[in-house]
Amino acid sequence: MTAAAASVDREAARLTDLDSAIGDADHGSNLQRGFAAVVKTLETEPPQTPGAVLTTAGRQLISTVGGASGPLYGTLLRRTGKALGEAGSVTADELRTALRAGVDAVAQLGGAAPGDATMLDALDPAVEALATSFAAAAEAAVQGAEATVPLQARKGRASYLGERSIGHQDPGATSSALLFAALAETAADGEGAK
């Protein structure tokens, strides 16, 4: 979560720029505020298990991030954390299964599917690629986010633009790719799931 917060902080302006073309121009600043609050909460009251870390982070995002991003990212993390349960450590396969539950919950909440030019276009292929490696998942998320450019948004704020949404990279898919990049970075550093 610390690596994700740092990545969101570095990329907040770019996320907001992407959002300004097809949304409310607040995606970067909202996530920046939310992930800063997550880090502060985790430092103040450190959870004891990977599942609890994600559940706590998700709860914090829901309470601090405005718009759709808070509920969507909060649902992703909370459902993933719930699926991990109380285990003190988690294997890559267990994380992949838990993330699939989280991504499925996001799809249900938002009523979206891959190809709708949403965060699912990065999340779905990333979870599938986790079967190979964390680095493959991060790359799949980036490719999924970039693949939203030629799509017409069918869900979310950008869908109100109709065909004018074509040619713009989805900010939610882009921020989702940042989270998988942070996961890959953390796994490579050997720091585990926190």
Side-chain angles (χ1 to χ4, degrees):
M1 287 294 100
T2 302
S7 184
V8 166
D9 196 52
R10 279 192 309 272
E11 298 292 329
R14 183 169 76 100
L15 294 173
T16 294
D17 284 347
L18 290 172
D19 195 33
S20 67
I22 57 174
D24 294 335
D26 61 0
H27 188 65
S29 56
N30 278 343
L31 285 184
Q32 190 175 32
R33 182 178 62 253
F35 276 95
V38 165
V39 169
K40 184 176 180 182
T41 298
L42 295 176
E43 289 172 350
T44 305
E45 305 166 31
Q48 300 304 307
T49 66
V53 168
L54 295 177
T55 302
T56 300
R59 195 168 42 246
Q60 191 64 43
L61 289 175
I62 288 170
S63 67
T64 57
V65 177
S69 297
L72 291 170
Y73 274 116
T75 295
L76 173 67
L77 297 178
R78 288 178 65 196
R79 189 61 61 92
T80 301
K82 184 177 179 184
L84 291 176
E86 298 300 317
S89 63
V90 176
T91 67
D93 284 340
E94 290 167 338
L95 180 60
R96 179 173 174 257
T97 299
L99 278 166
R100 170 50 59 200
V103 170
D104 289 348
V106 168
Q108 183 177 14
L109 178 64
D116 285 344
T118 70
M119 64 194 299
L120 290 175
D121 289 299
L123 293 174
D124 195 66
V127 170
E128 291 306 311
L130 267 177
T132 303
S133 70
F134 290 110
E139 181 59 30
V142 168
Q143 290 175 2
E146 290 171 350
T148 64
V149 173
L151 300 176
Q152 179 175 328
R154 292 194 290 257
K155 294 292 179 184
R157 180 105 165 73
S159 67
Y160 302 154
L161 298 176
E163 290 184 2
R164 289 180 295 149
S165 67
I166 296 170
H168 298 282
Q169 186 166 317
D170 182 70
T174 306
S175 59
S176 295
L178 294 178
L179 297 188
F180 272 92
L183 177 62
E185 173 189 323
T186 302
D189 289 345
E191 293 178 11
K194 185 176 179 186

